[in-house]
Amino acid sequence: MLHRKLIAAAVLLLALSGGGCFWHSGMKLSKAELPAAEQGIAPNAAAAIPKEIIKPSVLAAASEAKAGGSNVKAGGSDVKAGARSEQDRPATDFHLVNENDEDANSWVDGMKTLGGRQFWADQLFFNDWKIQRNVFTGHCRLLDGNDHRHKSGSYDQCAAALDEIKIQRKLPPMQGKCVILLHGLCRSSNAMNKMAAYLKKEGGYTVFNVEYPSSQAEIESHARGLDNIVRHLDGMTEINFVAHSLGNVVIRRYLFDQTDATTGRTPDPRIHRIVMAGAPNNGAKLATTLGRMILFKLIAGSPGQELGSGFEQLHSRLATPQCEFGIIAGGRGDDQGFNPILPGDDDLVVSVAETRLPGAHDFILLPVVHTFMADAPQVQQCTLRFLQHGYFVAEDKRQPIAAEELPLVGAGK
């Protein structure tokens, strides 16, 4: 049993090494090595963050920059007159930003971000512009397409700044068809960059490559962030999703939250098609195997547990898409797979059986491994074909999964 867990741990580290949990300017760093500004910690909020998260030198610099600033009101913030309604705000667990302090965070405006992608969650897109929220502080920032900050502060302040920029620069409204990309566990949006470029060039789609701190919050929280993104895609006439691994589970949780039979509530009608790559639709045995290991808990966070031992509870809150969706699984095409500790065929991390979901419009098995699946040309080609036509290869070669096929709930056991 011990050697199996050691093998599983090695596989996990190998799988995550493609993106890592924390990346900073191309170098792998810990939270403590990231500047306070990159963690979204303004001078007047740094004191409220646990000291072990920030370097002492950074804390000192933040304290010095705070001089003359106003105090932070922990646990909540006053809403400015004329600010956007509570419904338009992203759900947050932290509110360390005082919205009445206009200049508290101006010290980082105009700077290019340095990394720290596992600490930020996209909340709103407008073409190449976006608003992100820091998972630790609730602090927000407005970024342009080159990752330069144009505003730091509360969500309302960043939204107001974006509205001003739209007018000043005469930015055109959003329109047409878009694709929302979601990366997997412990990865960043960088993992989907090649897919994004391909869909833009070959498909002509507007692509929103979502950043979210996958290991730093529960799947439910990520789904709320996705909801805020979708609700603010004004002008888009068609919305598609392409996700890798955990990103698919986030989408299914989002769809569950948007569905209520008693009130007749349904997901956004603009949602057209979904491509699921390497999706642990039935949990992940690898996550269960590693679930009790401290290293795994530190790396994968709550979502790692939810995909493993907690999947039966999670499953009841995952919807099956009502739109057309297709599943791409990785494997060798035999009963051995790439990983000797997983039963049947697999992509090294997720088994083929774990990807299957009744109701899928098409299914395809490709000889790719989990971590770099979105980079594979054949995956990109199949993805675009499905978004455009509803099949991976051809209409007469579709391999749908019957809706009556029993789901493999608890495959992660």
Side-chain angles (χ1 to χ4, degrees), residues 18 34 43 54 138 156 176 187 193 275 278 318 344 374 401:
L34 288 169
I54 318 170
D156 288 335
R187 304 302 301 275
N193 280 346
V275 174
L318 301 180
I401 301 177

Side-chain angles (χ1 to χ4, degrees), residues 316-328:
S316 64
R317 294 177 174 83
L318 301 180
T320 297
Q322 297 305 300
C323 64
E324 291 184 357
F325 68 97
I327 298 172
I328 300 176

Side-chain angles (χ1 to χ4, degrees), residues 112-232:
K112 183 176 178 63
T113 62
L114 301 175
R117 293 178 180 273
Q118 273 293 323
F119 307 123
W120 293 93
D122 290 336
Q123 300 295 310
L124 178 149
F125 283 93
F126 181 78
N127 292 320
D128 292 334
W129 295 75
K130 61 184 177 180
I131 295 176
Q132 295 184 320
R133 176 180 63 84
N134 186 277
V135 68
F136 294 120
T137 67
H139 178 79
C140 291
R141 63 185 184 182
L142 171 64
L143 305 179
D144 62 20
N146 295 314
D147 279 347
H148 283 94
R149 297 181 187 86
H150 289 258
K151 186 67 179 178
S152 298
S154 71
Y155 178 82
D156 288 335
Q157 289 171 347
C158 291
L162 177 58
D163 287 340
E164 292 179 4
I165 291 173
K166 291 178 185 178
I167 297 174
Q168 294 172 356
R169 303 193 181 190
K170 298 180 180 179
L171 299 180
M174 295 191 294
Q175 59 182 347
K177 303 176 180 180
C178 72
V179 179
I180 296 176
L181 303 181
L182 283 94
H183 59 79
L185 182 61
C186 291
R187 304 302 301 275
S188 75
S189 60
N190 287 340
M192 304 296 282
N193 280 346
K194 290 184 179 180
M195 177 68 77
Y198 182 83
L199 295 178
K200 286 179 183 178
K201 179 181 178 180
E202 302 299 331
Y205 290 99
T206 296
V207 179
F208 301 112
N209 192 359
V210 176
E211 198 75 73
Y212 70 103
S214 59
S215 63
Q216 303 297 322
E218 296 180 349
I219 292 172
E220 177 184 5
S221 176
H222 299 321
R224 290 199 303 268
L226 181 58
D227 172 44
N228 201 73
I229 290 173
V230 173
R231 285 193 294 109
H232 288 89

Side-chain angles (χ1 to χ4, degrees), residues 364-381:
I364 192 169
L365 176 66
L366 296 174
V368 293
V369 294
H370 189 82
T371 302
F372 305 106
M373 188 175 291
D375 292 341
Q378 59 266 52
V379 171
Q380 295 169 2
Q381 293 162 9

Side-chain angles (χ1 to χ4, degrees), residues 204-410:
Y205 290 99
T206 296
V207 179
F208 301 112
N209 192 359
V210 176
E211 198 75 73
Y212 70 103
S214 59
S215 63
Q216 303 297 322
E218 296 180 349
I219 292 172
E220 177 184 5
S221 176
H222 299 321
R224 290 199 303 268
L226 181 58
D227 172 44
N228 201 73
I229 290 173
V230 173
R231 285 193 294 109
H232 288 89
L233 292 180
D234 299 331
M236 288 297 168
T237 56
E238 179 182 298
I239 299 174
N240 300 281
F241 291 104
V242 175
H244 176 237
S245 196
L246 175 67
N248 295 287
V249 181
V250 173
I251 292 173
R252 292 183 61 194
R253 177 57 201 257
Y254 157 74
L255 295 174
F256 172 84
D257 292 340
Q258 301 304 307
T259 305
D260 189 336
T262 60
T263 63
R265 183 183 185 184
T266 59
D268 195 306
R270 295 175 296 173
I271 297 177
H272 185 53
R273 291 190 175 114
I274 301 173
V275 174
M276 300 178 170
N281 281 318
N282 296 281
K285 180 177 176 58
L286 187 60
T288 302
T289 302
L290 297 172
R292 294 183 180 180
M293 299 180 67
I294 295 178
L295 177 62
F296 179 77
K297 291 180 179 179
L298 290 175
I299 293 176
S302 176
Q305 299 298 312
E306 292 181 84
L307 292 177
S309 60
F311 188 77
E312 285 197 30
Q313 181 179 357
L314 172 65
H315 181 264
S316 64
R317 294 177 174 83
L318 301 180
T320 297
Q322 297 305 300
C323 64
E324 291 184 357
F325 68 97
I327 298 172
I328 300 176
R332 297 175 55 179
D334 56 24
D335 60 355
Q336 299 298 314
F338 291 105
N339 191 333
I341 71 170
L342 292 179
D345 203 0
D346 63 80
D347 63 8
L348 195 64
V349 175
V350 177
S351 73
V352 173
E354 289 168 342
T355 69
R356 295 180 66 84
L357 183 63
H361 197 64
D362 200 358
F363 176 90
I364 192 169
L365 176 66
L366 296 174
V368 293
V369 294
H370 189 82
T371 302
F372 305 106
M373 188 175 291
D375 292 341
Q378 59 266 52
V379 171
Q380 295 169 2
Q381 293 162 9
C382 286
T383 295
L384 178 58
R385 204 172 290 125
F386 188 89
L387 294 180
Q388 294 179 328
H389 307 293
Y391 53 75
F392 289 127
V393 179
E395 176 60 34
D396 60 351
K397 294 184 178 180
R398 281 196 304 112
Q399 301 179 55
I401 301 177
E404 58 269 18
E405 178 177 317
L406 292 177
L408 192 63
V409 180

